[in-house]
Amino acid sequence: INVANFRFSELSAEEINSPMKKLAFRNADLTDESFNELLKLLRYAPELLQAEFDDCALDGVGDFQPSESDIVRELGKVETLIIRRLHIPRFYSFNDLRSVYSLLEKVKRITVENSKVFLVPCEFSQRLRSLEFLDLSENLMVEEYLRNSACEGAWPSLQTLILSQNYLKSIERTGEILLTLKNLTGLDISRNSFRPMPDTCRWPPKMRFLNLSSTGIWAVKTCIPQTLEVLDVSNNNLDSFSLFLPRLRELYLSRNKLKTLPDGSLFPVLLVMKIRENALSTFSKDQLGSFPKLETLEAGDNHFICSCELLSFTLGQPALSQVLPDWPDSYLCDSPPRLRGQRVQEARPSVLECHQALLVSGVCCALLLLILLIAGLCHHFHGLWYLRMMW
């Protein structure tokens, strides 16, 4: 819809109590003037909780300054603002949004996704006192401007910050910049291209969740905060994981290059681990037993060698589906060749493969008995005398 020329008509008093909870604009064309007119709707939607703008275009420079008689100073009960793929043709002339500072002071959740955001002014961040959740995915944020956005006093109530798919390069600098966010518990910096991880980093003191998936890292070091309860390092280049995390409850390692399960003693309270699509060849009762509290393990889509040890373990554990939610369909044999493609649950080893020592012992015993039998017959029937006579 094109609301560029929209002008609001005053409603009568009896039409004030609208039950509307959410107002969404999709593929809408807006201007500074029509946005000011749309704000007047807030007076007649006292129960509005969420406003959303998807794939909209704003033909303006952010000059949201209506006349004093029409000005709307706050968004009422609105707690959530979502903006996705906002197109601003004259972005190079855009204002600093001072005119909307007061409107957003009570908003708790803001998403501005894929809208070419490269900076949130420090003063604006400081005015967002109630903000608890901020999603700036798929934008143009870099460390230099993030430092200005997360200045001292910025986002004092923020708990979750999502900076996925931006232009961050240094994990160490990112963690140091965010030290001003005293209440931050969750940080998503996935899909950024980070340089190698240093040995030490500084992080906000209350960090509980960290997402480093799809960042191209090759190793996980002690830079990772010890306070974490959830860590996602999926879709990277990790071939090992040996970091002690005493509070970790969930670990996501899918789509890496790990050949064995991590040592369970490193994660004394781990409940969930997902390690799908790696290079695992086997796991055993001892390996699973090293995780004292593990409740869920997803290890499907790996290259399992259906050895006698693995098959005997799986056959002896009928309750595997309680721990492995993707069992048995995602667990296929990669070798030996005769079992390739079969489900591990249905694969059956041959006696020759799994009982070689017993088979060799049996053959040796049979040969020994045969030799003793021949020797006894030769002695009984004077076989040696006959052999000498024939010679």
Side-chain angles (χ1 to χ4, degrees):
I1 187 174
N2 188 334
V3 291
N5 298 316
F6 174 76
R7 294 295 178 267
F8 183 75
S9 300
E10 297 292 337
L11 301 175
S12 59
E14 56 268 15
E15 295 181 86
I16 288 180
N17 295 320
S18 168
M20 180 168 57
K21 303 287 186 182
K22 176 180 176 180
L23 175 61
F25 291 89
R26 295 187 173 90
N27 297 302
D29 295 326
L30 305 167
T31 64
D32 292 347
E33 294 76 14
S34 63
F35 182 79
N36 290 330
E37 292 293 315
L38 290 172
L39 285 177
K40 297 177 183 178
L41 285 170
L42 296 174
R43 301 170 181 169
Y44 302 93
E47 301 302 317
L48 188 68
L49 297 176
Q50 179 174 333
E52 183 176 330
F53 298 86
D54 286 347
D55 298 292
C56 293
L58 176 60
D59 185 12
V61 294
D63 185 16
F64 307 130
Q65 293 183 347
S67 61
E68 192 64 29
S69 60
D70 294 332
I71 195 168
V72 178
R73 298 188 180 279
E74 59 181 37
L75 296 182
K77 293 184 179 180
V78 175
E79 295 182 345
T80 304
L81 174 64
I82 299 175
I83 300 173
R84 299 188 183 96
R85 298 171 295 279
L86 177 64
H87 176 55
I88 304 175
R90 289 183 286 167
F91 69 92
Y92 47 83
S93 300
F94 209 74
N95 290 356
D96 62 0
L97 296 177
R98 289 180 183 273
S99 55
V100 298
Y101 284 7
S102 62
L103 285 175
L104 301 176
E105 285 185 349
K106 296 183 180 180
V107 175
K108 294 183 178 181
R109 291 174 290 275
I110 294 180
T111 296
V112 185
E113 181 183 304
N114 196 5
S115 299
K116 298 183 179 179
V117 175
F118 63 90
L119 173 68
V120 181
C122 175
E123 185 180 351
F124 191 17
S125 298
Q126 292 171 338
R127 296 289 292 271
L128 295 172
R129 299 185 182 91
S130 300
L131 192 65
E132 299 175 357
F133 175 93
L134 177 60
D135 184 351
L136 296 174
S137 301
E138 300 180 51
N139 283 295
L140 308 174
M141 299 292 292
V142 298
E143 285 89 346
E144 181 181 355
Y145 296 132
L146 178 61
R147 185 180 298 278
N148 186 280
S149 301
C151 60
E152 195 65 38
W155 307 322
S157 302
L158 192 66
Q159 298 175 14
T160 302
L161 176 61
I162 301 177
L163 295 169
S164 177
Q165 197 170 335
N166 277 270
Y167 288 86
L168 304 175
K169 300 294 183 183
S170 171
I171 294 177
E172 182 181 17
R173 287 188 62 194
T174 300
E176 183 180 350
I177 289 169
L178 300 179
L179 286 173
T180 57
L181 308 180
K182 306 302 182 184
N183 292 304
L184 189 70
T185 59
L187 176 63
D188 183 348
I189 47 177
S190 61
R191 297 188 292 169
N192 285 280
S193 298
F194 287 117
R195 295 192 291 267
M197 186 180 295
D199 291 329
T200 59
C201 301
R202 300 169 63 199
W203 298 94
K206 296 183 180 181
M207 282 276 292
R208 298 291 182 270
F209 171 89
L210 179 62
N211 189 342
L212 283 170
S213 62
S214 304
T215 53
I217 56 176
W218 291 81
V220 175
K221 301 183 179 180
T222 50
C223 168
I224 299 296
Q226 295 279 295
T227 58
L228 289 185
E229 295 180 3
V230 180
L231 175 61
D232 189 346
V233 286
S234 304
N235 196 28
N236 284 299
N237 299 300
L238 305 178
D239 57 11
S240 64
F241 194 100
S242 56
L243 181 65
F244 179 61
L245 295 170
R247 301 182 186 179
L248 198 68
R249 296 179 177 274
E250 299 180 23
L251 177 60
Y252 300 91
L253 291 165
S254 298
R255 298 184 300 282
N256 278 286
K257 301 177 181 179
L258 279 79
K259 297 180 180 179
T260 61
L261 291 177
D263 183 358
S265 63
L266 299 172
F267 321 109
V269 296
L270 190 69
L271 300 176
V272 176
M273 181 167 65
K274 297 187 179 182
I275 192 169
R276 298 173 60 90
E277 298 180 51
N278 276 266
L280 296 185
S281 58
T282 187
F283 55 85
S284 64
K285 182 178 180 180
D286 291 338
Q287 286 179 315
L288 291 182
S290 68
F291 295 90
K293 295 189 177 182
L294 189 65
E295 296 177 354
T296 302
L297 171 66
E298 287 189 15
D301 298 319
N302 278 285
H303 307 295
F304 290 107
I305 298 175
C306 287
S307 62
C308 300
E309 181 184 9
L310 175 63
L311 296 179
S312 62
F313 166 66
T314 57
L315 288 172
Q317 301 289 330
L320 272 179
S321 58
Q322 297 178 8
V323 179
L324 307 176
D326 50 349
W327 175 269
D329 294 336
S330 296
Y331 295 78
L332 305 179
C333 295
D334 187 64
S335 65
R338 71 177 188 85
L339 296 177
R340 182 172 297 157
Q342 290 189 32
R343 296 197 302 184
V344 174
Q345 184 189 40
E346 299 168 351
R348 293 294 181 269
S350 66
V351 175
L352 181 62
E353 292 171 341
C354 292
H355 303 285
Q356 291 183 356
L358 184 62
L359 184 64
V360 170
S361 299
V363 171
C364 290
C365 289
L367 287 174
L368 180 61
L369 289 174
L370 181 61
I371 292 171
L372 291 174
L373 177 62
I374 293 173
L377 290 172
C378 286
H379 176 73
H380 182 71
F381 293 108
H382 308 286
L384 292 177
W385 185 86
Y386 283 106
L387 287 174
R388 284 200 302 270
M389 293 301 100
M390 290 176 65
W391 173 249

